[in-house]
């Protein structure tokens, strides 16, 4: 799969997730389902996931045997940057609560699942 096709699919996925988050805010206006800086979290995770995918994809296309190491490295770097983001956010917002953790880790999980699905799909095509 080309980077252009992934970018189109990824943009669609991001729009669907953003639409779901906006819909949750509209459906439950009195409930605190999203933190104040939710869109900062969303944009950070969307950006870092896209960078991780492109890095891993380039590694796979360059050398399929080294590609697995590129995948692992991109996921590890993504995790390190995410932990740094949580640390910085928790220092700036000391009232870090369950809402932030639910928002951050649900987005992290959704973006990571999307990334890994498409990376595995690329690897499957190379094995045939």
């Amino acid at each position: 799969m080309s980077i252009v096709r992934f970018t189109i699919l990824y943009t669609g996925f991001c729009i669907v997730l953003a639409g779901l988050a906006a819909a949750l805010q509209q459906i439950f206006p009195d409930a605190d389902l999203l933190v104040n800086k939710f869109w900062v979290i969303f944009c950070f995770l969307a950006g870092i996931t896209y960078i991780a995918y492109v890095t891993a994809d380039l590694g796979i296309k360059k050398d399929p045997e080294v590609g697995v190491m590129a995948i692992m490295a991109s996921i590890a770097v993504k995790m390190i940057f995410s932990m740094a983001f949580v640390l910085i956010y928790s220092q700036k917002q000391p009232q870090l609560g369950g809402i932030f953790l639910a928002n951050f880790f649900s987005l992290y999980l959704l973006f990571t699942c999307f990334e890994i699905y498409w990376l595995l799909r690329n690897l499957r095509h190379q094995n045939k």
Side-chain angles (χ1 to χ4, degrees), residues 1 6 10 13 45-46 48-57 60 67-68 70-79 107-125:
M1 172 187 313
F6 175 78
Y10 188 67
F13 179 73
L45 286 174
I48 196 78
T49 300
Y50 184 78
I51 292 168
Y53 176 84
V54 170
T55 304
D57 189 55
I60 291 170
V68 175
I71 292 171
M72 298 303 283
S74 70
I75 291 172
V77 169
K78 179 181 169 185
M79 186 180 299
L107 285 174
Y108 184 85
L109 176 68
L110 289 170
F111 281 121
T112 301
C113 287
F114 186 83
E115 173 193 4
I116 290 178
Y117 173 78
W118 288 104
L119 285 171
L120 288 175
R121 193 160 182 238
N122 286 347
L123 286 174
R124 189 175 337 139
H125 288 297

Side-chain angles (χ1 to χ4, degrees), residues 28-89:
F28 304 108
D30 296 333
D32 289 334
L33 296 177
L34 303 177
V35 293
N36 295 336
K37 304 285 185 178
F38 175 79
W39 298 110
V40 173
I41 298 168
F42 185 88
C43 291
F44 170 77
L45 286 174
I48 196 78
T49 300
Y50 184 78
I51 292 168
Y53 176 84
V54 170
T55 304
D57 189 55
L58 291 174
I60 291 170
K61 288 180 179 173
K62 184 175 181 181
D63 184 11
E65 292 185 16
V66 179
V68 175
M69 294 303 287
I71 292 171
M72 298 303 283
S74 70
I75 291 172
V77 169
K78 179 181 169 185
M79 186 180 299
I80 290 168
F81 276 107
S82 295
M83 287 189 299
F85 181 85
V86 169
L87 178 67
I88 292 167
Y89 188 89

